[in-house]
Amino acid sequence: MVKVIIIGSGNVAQHLIAAFQNPQNLGTEIELVQVFSRQIGSVSQLLDSDHITNDLDTLAEADLYIIAVSDDAIAAISSKLLFKNRLVVHTSGSVPLNALDDNNRKGVFYPLQTFTKNKAVDFRTIPICLESENATDFQLLEKVAKAISDKTFAINSEQRKALHIAAVFVNNFTNHLYQIGQEICLENQVPFEILKPLIAETANKIMLLSPEEAQTGPAKRNDTDTIEAHEAFLSNQNHLTIYKTLTQSIQQNGKKL
Amino acid sequence: MVKVIIIGSGNVAQHLIAAFQNPQNLGTEIELVQVFSRQIGSVSQLLDSDHITNDLDTLAEADLYIIAVSDDAIAAISSKLLFKNRLVVHTSGSVPLNALDDNNRKGVFYPLQTFTKNKAVDFRTIPICLESENATDFQLLEKVAKAISDKTFAINSEQRKALHIAAVFVNNFTNHLYQIGQEICLENQVPFEILKPLIAETANKIMLLSPEEAQTGPAKRNDTDTIEAHEAFLSNQNHLTIYKTLTQSIQQNGKKL
Ligand SMILES: NC(=O)c1ccc[n+]([C@@H]2O[C@H](COP(=O)([O-])OP(=O)(O)OC[C@H]3O[C@@H](n4cnc5c(N)ncnc54)[C@H](OP(=O)(O)O)[C@@H]3O)[C@@H](O)[C@H]2O)c1
Ligand SMILES: NC(=O)c1ccc[n+]([C@@H]2O[C@H](COP(=O)([O-])OP(=O)(O)OC[C@H]3O[C@@H](n4cnc5c(N)ncnc54)[C@H](OP(=O)(O)O)[C@@H]3O)[C@@H](O)[C@H]2O)c1
């Protein structure tokens, strides 16, 4: 049996706890033995109270400690652990492996997904990016990750940084484009609902086509009449700047090919 | 029976033909009587050859003519029709109603979706934006639209222009962000596959949360350390410009609230 302890009670911690306890994932050789939460109440709906502690000093013995707390608290928490030479990992896309304290063996267990409290996700489809200092630890991480997900990847800190930045583009920035779409709708008394099937299909397409193949629109066609008409229509300066920047980028792309 | 004729054989025409012929939509009072295609072969897999013509002058009589050809061919085709005072509509998001020839009654039948040849879509979920010159024609358009879709909207030319621009943001520009995500992955030897579940979930979230509620990331948190690290990492000047522009826009948003 591989014993796992989760430190934290936020979004990621709660989804991890649920995944390890999902009946579909039992029968694997992984056991979630304890969770640390500053406030016991945050996770008491997820597991029995004798498996929860709010005192770092009383953490049980385990094969793997997963620190799933805010990025800026990871280093401090890892340095407060009283034991030595055990495997301690964090779940962050942007914190390097070496932010973890030298007292223990270091690793990363980064689930590349955007989690929302109270919104279930199918953890088995979530890519987990793994990093460790040696092959034995990697095997352990992989065993644990495979217990809850079908997709595990060896990703070093440099690659993880790149992935995290790419994730900012396809997640944070994309969501901001949805918001601009909504703003344009509001300004023109059109329900934003009308755009939702298009948003869904745009994401669907990328599962089958490459982004180059899926690209359409006035910028791609170099349709300058339509581009000029759109620019004249956009009275919001911020929307206009973004329209021009992205249109230019798509047009440059066309020239590259 | 309402008789419909489709003029065109591209993406939109083919999906419309399939929708009108979908057994699920039969029993409605709509009949697709004929299709015009410059090349008969383009649609011969979709319907019997005696329902296809490549000669505009031999178009049958119908209650509704749907012109689904390239934007810049709509005006010319509508002026070549030999009959008068019938209802003729186009399917474009960006062409005004008045681009249609004065010889016939004008309207718009704009399905707001991105169509791909050979990729089936569930037409019933696609919003159809309708416009006409009078109430009787609108009722007819609505009847036809409801035969193939559950979502019909009255949208005038100004609103449709706004919707089309909003669609450029949530579809064309979003797809371009996917492409940048892929480029960053390629440059750093990471498979783009890893980002696909994130792309799917980002679109999923917007079905339940508003864009404001769904927004996360370093720009939203005003996490200047991470933003600076990302900017230092991005060696591609074009990626950097887009990163800065969208980060600034998200930060300004925070200040507005
Ligand atoms: N959210 C995502 O979609 C996502 C995806 C992949 C990876 N990650 C990474 O996963 C980690 C956790 O993110 P999250 O979204 O779960 O964050 P979150 O929902 O904001 O939760 C943060 C957790 O950290 C705890 N915490 C913060 N400061 C602490 C401190 N000084 N001492 C002890 N505990 C502290 C919080 O405790 P309290 O509840 O008591 O305040 C809470 O349990 C981060 O490294 C993040 O980068 C997040
Ligand atoms: N694609 C979308 O996702 C989408 C979504 C909503 C609305 N629309 C609108 O729907 C309309 C059709 O778009 P589409 O995507 O179906 O275009 P498409 O796939 O490029 O097909 C264009 C069609 O127009 C015909 N055509 C072009 N020039 C012509 C001319 N001078 N005379 C006769 N026929 C001509 C083409 O005939 P040949 O095949 O013989 O060349 C073809 O059948 C446009 O107004 C577009 O804005 C498109």
Side-chain angles (χ1 to χ4, degrees), chain A residues 8-13 36 38-39 42 68-71 73-74 77 91-94 110-111 113-115 117:
Chain A
S9 54
N11 255 317
V12 171
F36 164 85
R38 290 200 289 199
Q39 297 145 51
S42 315
V69 302
S70 318
D71 286 355
I74 292 171
I77 296 240
T91 61
S92 174
S94 52
Y110 169 45
Q113 185 49 288
T114 169
F115 296 98
K117 262 187 195 134

Side-chain angles (χ1 to χ4, degrees), chain B residues 9-12 38-39 69-71 73 77 91-92 111 113-115:
Chain B
S9 55
N11 255 317
V12 170
R38 290 200 288 199
Q39 298 146 51
V69 302
S70 319
D71 285 356
I77 297 242
T91 62
S92 172
Q113 185 52 287
T114 168
F115 297 97

Side-chain angles (χ1 to χ4, degrees), chain B residues 40-80:
Chain B
I40 302 256
S42 315
V43 291
S44 52
Q45 80 288 4
L46 289 169
L47 72 182
D48 285 348
S49 62
D50 52 339
H51 292 290
I52 309 174
T53 177
N54 60 4
D55 180 3
L56 272 187
D57 299 353
T58 64
L59 281 187
E61 192 166 344
D63 302 291
L64 174 63
Y65 296 80
I66 302 178
I67 302 184
V69 302
S70 319
D71 285 356
D72 53 14
I74 292 171
I77 297 242
S78 77
S79 70
K80 282 188 202 146

